[in-house]
Amino acid sequence: MLTTLVVTASLLFTGAPAQSVATKPLTFRGMTLQIPKTWKVGKEDMWGIHVKTGGCDRRAVECRGFYLVGPKGISLARHGNPYDPEEPYHPGNGLAACTPDKRYVEDFPGKLVERGLRPVGAGHKATYRVWRVGCSTQSGKRSGVSYQERIWHLPKSKILIVDKWSDSRLGAILKRATWS
């Protein structure tokens, strides 16, 4: 009875079971995240790291996941200009395939649906934006397909976190980040 009560209380107050998911550390530019062991971390390149959090749909541009972007990717965002928090992140100069369905192109700039500051570990606040990005045919006809792009920007640390799949676990993981 007491054990049941403790587990129930843990679920009520934390929203998580008493046992935790097995994790592994991921360090990027002095920030360390404890991510589920099942997530796959890509190799770092001049832009940053792609972290795969789930499966790969054959119609999607890329596997489910998020990006940790460093200074190079921040400096060359949209049309070769630095990242602007008042626009979605789009490294490139032209049309981009729609993330969930590559048959379509993204309708930029999208619609800003949320803005604010979010904690990324103790003592670090990120500029946070959520954009709803629609997708259309190359001729401009709306497809009904859309996605949300969540962005955490840490300008002093020169880190941009871009999540086009709205992984429900990512916000809590970033909140518990540690810094060296």
Side-chain angles (χ1 to χ4, degrees), residues 8-23:
T8 303
S10 173
L11 285 168
L12 279 173
F13 293 113
T14 66
Q19 294 176 326
S20 62
V21 174
T23 63

Side-chain angles (χ1 to χ4, degrees), residues 4-133:
T4 304
L5 203 57
V6 170
V7 171
T8 303
S10 173
L11 285 168
L12 279 173
F13 293 113
T14 66
Q19 294 176 326
S20 62
V21 174
T23 63
K24 62 185 176 187
L26 168 59
T27 300
F28 183 74
R29 301 190 52 75
M31 174 183 70
T32 299
L33 306 175
Q34 292 298 324
I35 63 171
K37 281 191 174 183
T38 57
W39 290 5
K40 294 180 179 21
V41 179
K43 292 188 180 196
E44 185 170 357
D45 60 22
M46 65 184 215
W47 301 101
I49 299 172
H50 182 208
V51 180
K52 295 177 185 175
T53 61
C56 304
D57 184 318
R58 65 179 177 79
R59 285 195 177 158
V61 172
E62 59 204 17
C63 297
R64 292 183 179 275
F66 65 94
Y67 286 90
L68 296 172
V69 180
K72 180 80 170 178
I74 293 170
S75 70
L76 295 173
R78 192 160 188 184
H79 300 291
N81 295 310
Y83 168 70
D84 179 353
E86 299 309 315
E87 294 183 352
Y89 181 70
H90 172 66
N93 290 324
L95 295 175
C98 185
T99 297
D101 194 331
K102 61 188 170 195
R103 296 175 302 169
Y104 305 113
V105 295
E106 296 173 334
D107 290 332
F108 278 115
K111 180 181 179 183
L112 181 64
V113 294
E114 190 174 344
R115 69 182 318 139
L117 297 174
R118 294 290 185 275
V120 179
H124 289 78
K125 291 257 187 208
T127 302
Y128 179 72
R129 302 286 187 265
V130 179
W131 296 90
R132 180 171 295 117
V133 179

